[in-house]
Amino acid sequence: MKGPLLIVEDDEIMGESLVDRFQLEGYEVAWCKRAEEALERLRTTPFGLILSDLRLPGMDGRALLRELRRLMAIAPPFILITGHGSVTDAVAALHEGATDYITKPFDLNKLVEKVEALCLNTQNGAASACLGVSPAMRQIDMMLPRIAAQASTILLTGESGVGKECVARRLHELGSRSEGAPFIALNCAAMPAELLEAELFGYEKGAFTGATRSKPGLFEAASGGTLFLDEIGELALSLQAKLLRAVQEREVMRLGAQSVMKFDARLIFATNRDLRAEVEQGRFREDLYYRINVIHLRIPPLRERPEDIPWLAQGFINEFARRTPGEHRALTPDALEGLSRYPWPGNVRELRHAIERACILSTHPLISTSDLMEPTANMTSASPARPSTPQTGAGYDLTAYLQSCEREFILDTLRAHEGKVMTTAKALGISRKSLWDKMRRLGLKNNEPDAD
C-alpha cells in the first residue's frame, strides 16, 4: 500500500473521484472536506502527501499550509488544486512552502504521475542524492563530483560517527568507471597487525603456517573500484612503510611472493585522529601523512550542522518504515525540538540508533520525546537538570535532556492555556489521560500554580 495521502476537498464529486483513482493506484487515502478537520487528522496521523483545494469553507488551502508549516518542522509535500482565477494565490502559496499546484480542469493521469514522483522522492529521501541540507554538507557535496573524477588518494577526517564512510561511498558512486565496481571497506583498528598485513596485501600458498592456498589482498580485490581504509591513524608503524609504497607506486607484494602486482583502485583513508599531531609525536610516518593528504575533507560533527538533524531523522524514519510495509511514522514538534537541541556526541550514528529504537518500540505513528528516551534504572518522576549550554556533550545524558525538553514544552503549553489540562491536551494532540500520565512522570503536580 502506498501513501498515505490526505485529500482536502469540499466538493463531493471531485473528492470521490480523487479517492477512487488513488485507491485504484494502490494508495492509502484519507479524505477531509474542511481544512479544520484535516488539521485534526494531521495532529495524530502522519501523511506522505497532502492534496488540497485552494477554496474551502472556513480555512482555505493557503491557511491550512501555513498552519501545517507552523505545527510541523518537516511538513509533507503539499499540492494545491486551484481554478484559473486563483492562480495568483497558488503561486503565492509556492513562496509559502507549497510543493506544487494544479489548475482545474486537470488531467488526472498527470496528477497521479506528479504525486507518484513526490511520494517516491519522500520515501527514498535525499540521502542518495546529497549528504545533508546544511551549508557545510552542501559545500562538500558540491565538491565531490570534481574530486571523484580526478583524485585517486583522499583523506577524510572527523569525529567518530559523522559519516565518513557515507562520504567515501558517495565518492565511489560518483567516480566509478563501470557498474558493479567494487567498494571495499576495512577498519584498520579491527584486527591485529599480522592479520591486517595478510588481509591488505594477500599471501601465497605456504607463506606461513595455515596458508594452504594463495589469496589476493584487498588492494588487488579493489582494482577498478575503491578501497576505503578507516581508522588509518591506528595502523602500526611496521605496516606504514608497506602502505606508503602501495599508495605511491600502486603496487603490492603478497606475503611469500617474489614479484610485485599492480592494482588500480581509488584509495580513501579516514581517521578521527589529528594525524599532524600523531606525526609530531612519532606515532605516524611523516612521509605517509603527506602521501595520503593529497585531498583532505573534514566532515563536521552534527552539533556544527544542526540543520541536518531533522533531515537525517526523517530519512531514518523513512528507511525504517520501508522495512514494515503499511507502517507510517513521523516526529512530533517537541521531539524534533529535543533532537535539534541535543549535542549528539555520537553524531549521526547515535541519532540513527535513537530513531531506530523509537521506531521499534513506539506503538503510536507519531514519535514523541518520550519514545526517544532510553529507559534507565534510576529514572524518577523528578524533573532532571537541564544542560544550559550544550557544547561537546561530555557527561550529558540523552534521556535526561530529552525528558527535560518534554517537561518544559508541556509546561509552556499549560501556561499558554491557563493551566487547563483538557485544552492543553487538545493543543498537544494527545488525550487528557496521556497528558496526566506525562505530568505525573515529569513531576508536574496538579497543585502547582503553573499546571492546574
Side-chain angles (χ1 to χ4, degrees):
M1 205 73 169
K2 306 175 191 174
L5 305 183
L6 176 61
I7 294 172
V8 190
E9 174 59 71
D10 63 316
D11 185 277
E12 293 277 351
I13 297 174
M14 175 68 77
E16 287 181 4
S17 298
L18 290 170
V19 169
D20 289 345
R21 177 57 189 273
F22 281 109
Q23 285 180 340
L24 283 172
E25 295 291 334
Y27 285 89
E28 181 184 341
V29 184
W31 176 23
C32 295
K33 297 177 182 178
R34 297 178 63 90
E36 293 82 357
E37 180 189 354
L39 275 176
E40 288 302 311
R41 294 289 293 270
L42 286 161
R43 289 180 190 276
T44 57
T45 307
F47 288 91
L49 184 140
I50 299 168
L51 184 62
S52 173
D53 199 347
L54 179 62
R55 300 299 184 201
L56 294 167
M59 181 186 292
D60 65 12
R62 280 182 68 186
L64 171 61
L65 171 64
R66 286 193 291 268
E67 186 65 11
L68 180 66
R69 289 177 63 81
R70 185 185 71 81
L71 291 172
M72 301 178 69
I74 303 177
F78 194 104
I79 300 177
L80 274 172
I81 302 173
T82 180
H84 283 296
S86 305
V87 170
T88 303
D89 287 339
V91 172
L94 293 179
H95 294 288
E96 295 171 351
T99 310
D100 206 345
Y101 72 91
I102 189 166
T103 56
K104 302 175 183 177
F106 53 82
D107 184 331
L108 194 49
N109 291 327
K110 290 189 180 300
L111 176 60
V112 169
E113 289 175 6
K114 192 185 294 286
V115 170
E116 186 79 30
L118 285 170
C119 286
L120 182 64
N121 288 339
T122 302
Q123 290 165 0
N124 291 341
S128 61
C130 66
L131 300 169
V133 295
S134 64
M137 296 309 288
R138 285 187 179 276
Q139 183 177 8
I140 290 174
D141 199 56
M142 289 174 59
M143 296 166 61
L144 294 191
R146 183 175 178 84
I147 293 172
Q150 299 185 43
S152 60
T153 306
I154 302 155
L155 175 63
L156 306 177
T157 61
E159 295 177 10
S160 180
V162 293
K164 296 187 287 294
E165 184 168 343
C166 180
V167 175
R169 288 185 180 276
R170 180 74 175 141
L171 282 164
H172 171 71
E173 292 168 5
L174 292 168
S176 294
R177 290 165 294 193
S178 61
E179 190 174 346
F183 177 89
I184 298 176
L186 178 70
N187 188 324
C188 295
M191 59 180 67
E194 57 274 13
L195 295 181
L196 182 59
E197 182 176 8
E199 190 72 17
L200 284 173
F201 300 100
Y203 52 84
E204 296 292 346
K205 181 179 179 180
F208 51 83
T209 303
T212 57
R213 59 181 179 83
S214 297
K215 181 180 181 294
L218 296 185
F219 285 103
E220 294 176 65
S223 279
T226 301
L227 177 59
F228 173 60
L229 297 181
D230 199 3
E231 304 295 355
I232 192 66
E234 308 296 329
L235 196 67
L237 282 168
S238 58
L239 280 180
Q240 291 180 23
K242 288 195 72 172
L243 180 61
L244 174 63
R245 180 168 182 82
V247 176
Q248 192 163 289
E249 305 298 334
R250 285 306 198 267
E251 63 183 27
V252 293
M253 182 181 290
R254 293 182 185 177
L255 298 179
Q258 301 298 316
S259 59
V260 298
M261 304 188 73
K262 291 287 186 180
F263 70 90
D264 178 22
R266 176 184 291 103
L267 300 179
I268 303 179
F269 303 95
T271 182
N272 58 11
R273 292 185 175 230
D274 180 348
L275 288 187
R276 181 70 260 179
E278 295 293 298
V279 169
E280 292 171 356
Q281 294 172 28
R283 291 194 291 261
F284 201 84
R285 291 179 60 113
E286 187 173 25
D287 49 3
L288 178 58
Y289 169 70
Y290 287 121
R291 193 64 193 85
I292 66 175
N293 192 25
V294 179
I295 298 292
H296 176 201
L297 289 176
R298 175 186 176 268
I299 315 302
L302 204 49
R303 64 180 176 276
E304 291 182 11
R305 43 185 175 110
E307 303 94 335
D308 287 334
I309 294 172
W311 178 83
L312 285 165
Q314 191 60 55
F316 293 144
I317 287 175
N318 294 339
E319 176 189 338
F320 300 136
R322 289 195 294 275
R323 299 178 186 175
T324 313
E327 191 170 277
H328 308 287
R329 303 279 191 179
L331 290 162
T332 61
D334 60 310
L336 271 170
E337 181 186 5
L339 291 176
S340 297
R341 295 172 66 179
Y342 179 68
W344 298 106
N347 292 295
V348 179
R349 185 182 294 120
E350 184 185 1
L351 174 61
R352 179 188 176 88
H353 291 167
I355 296 296
E356 183 174 17
R357 178 187 174 279
C359 287
I360 292 171
L361 298 181
S362 174
T363 58
H364 196 276
L366 289 175
I367 295 173
S368 67
T369 307
S370 59
D371 296 321
L372 294 163
M373 297 177 184
E374 291 234 23
T376 58
N378 59 357
M379 184 182 290
T380 65
S381 61
S383 174
R386 178 177 179 178
S388 56
T389 309
Q391 294 177 354
T392 65
Y396 290 176
D397 180 346
L398 175 59
T399 297
Y401 190 85
L402 291 179
Q403 189 177 11
S404 174
C405 290
E406 183 181 32
R407 184 182 193 277
E408 192 159 304
F409 185 79
I410 290 175
L411 192 55
D412 288 345
T413 311
L414 280 164
R415 287 174 179 142
H417 293 85
E418 300 176 345
K420 297 174 182 175
V421 175
M422 182 63 80
T423 53
T424 300
K426 187 175 181 181
L428 292 170
I430 59 177
S431 69
R432 187 173 185 271
K433 180 181 182 301
S434 294
L435 179 55
W436 277 120
D437 290 342
K438 286 178 180 291
M439 288 169 64
R440 279 193 293 269
R441 175 171 56 80
L442 296 170
L444 294 171
K445 308 296 183 185
N446 358 345
N447 56 2
E448 286 186 21
D450 290 327
D452 239 4

